[in-house]
Amino acid sequence: MRNRDSELAIDLYRGIAALLVLLAHALTYALKAVHGADSTTSPFIDRLARASLGSGTFWGWGFFVLSGFCIHQSIARDQQRQTFSIPRYALGRITRIYPLMLIGLALAALVWWLTGGAASPGETFPVGKLIATLFFAQQFVGDFPGYDPAWSLCN
């Protein structure tokens, strides 16, 4: 039971880190929209929030470290039982990550379309970036607008 308690604690920490990343990104976007990119002109409470949460980088790295540990534990368990297979592992990762990535990409595309998303007049829908993101290749052409955090999925 103790091992299961440790796994639950690690999952809790991962969840908290993921929520803090989400909160930090949302706060960063919201404060930039209100006060611009220069945080020195924003009120003290906004600067305190930015300093406390940062851009989410710290929490993101924490999430990645804990996730790497969980992946290692899972593979080690399967190897111990002699049930590990790379195709099964890859299928498990894809079915866990890809559907949520598609939902996020669809929402980003919808927001782009609803808001007119173009940074400059006459800008067309970024089909190339959309296709690259579908294949986790956005590091070659850039992130789909508004879906910048997806960079981590292709890595």
Side-chain angles (χ1 to χ4, degrees):
M1 183 67 176
R2 183 170 169 89
N3 192 21
R4 184 68 190 142
D5 290 342
S6 296
E7 288 177 8
L8 288 173
I10 290 171
D11 283 342
L12 176 66
Y13 295 144
R14 285 176 62 213
I16 290 170
L19 288 174
L20 288 170
V21 168
L22 181 67
L23 182 62
H25 284 323
L27 179 71
T28 298
Y29 284 120
L31 292 178
K32 280 184 181 176
V34 173
H35 301 291
D38 183 11
S39 63
T40 59
T41 60
S42 59
F44 172 75
I45 192 72
D46 293 351
R47 291 193 314 271
L48 179 64
R50 284 185 190 194
S52 301
L53 288 173
S55 64
T57 303
F58 175 79
W59 310 112
W61 281 112
F63 176 83
F64 288 140
V65 167
L66 290 172
S67 294
F69 178 75
C70 290
I71 290 169
H72 165 75
Q73 292 293 93
S74 173
I75 291 173
R77 250 191 325 270
D78 285 351
Q79 284 179 331
Q80 198 172 36
R81 289 185 239 147
Q82 296 181 343
T83 59
F84 178 75
S85 94
I86 290 177
R88 193 181 66 152
Y89 169 78
L91 181 64
R93 298 293 294 163
I94 289 169
T95 57
R96 186 177 305 124
I97 294 171
Y98 202 69
L100 291 173
M101 188 277 301
L102 288 176
I103 291 169
L105 183 59
L107 289 172
L110 181 65
V111 167
W112 194 97
W113 180 70
L114 289 174
T115 62
S120 59
E123 188 176 339
T124 60
F125 186 80
V127 175
K129 291 180 179 184
L130 179 83
I131 292 170
T133 303
L134 286 172
F135 293 100
F136 297 117
Q138 60 268 42
Q139 70 268 28
F140 299 113
V141 297
D143 297 315
F144 187 86
Y147 202 47
D148 307 358
W151 69 266
S152 62
L153 298 175
C154 65
N155 295 312

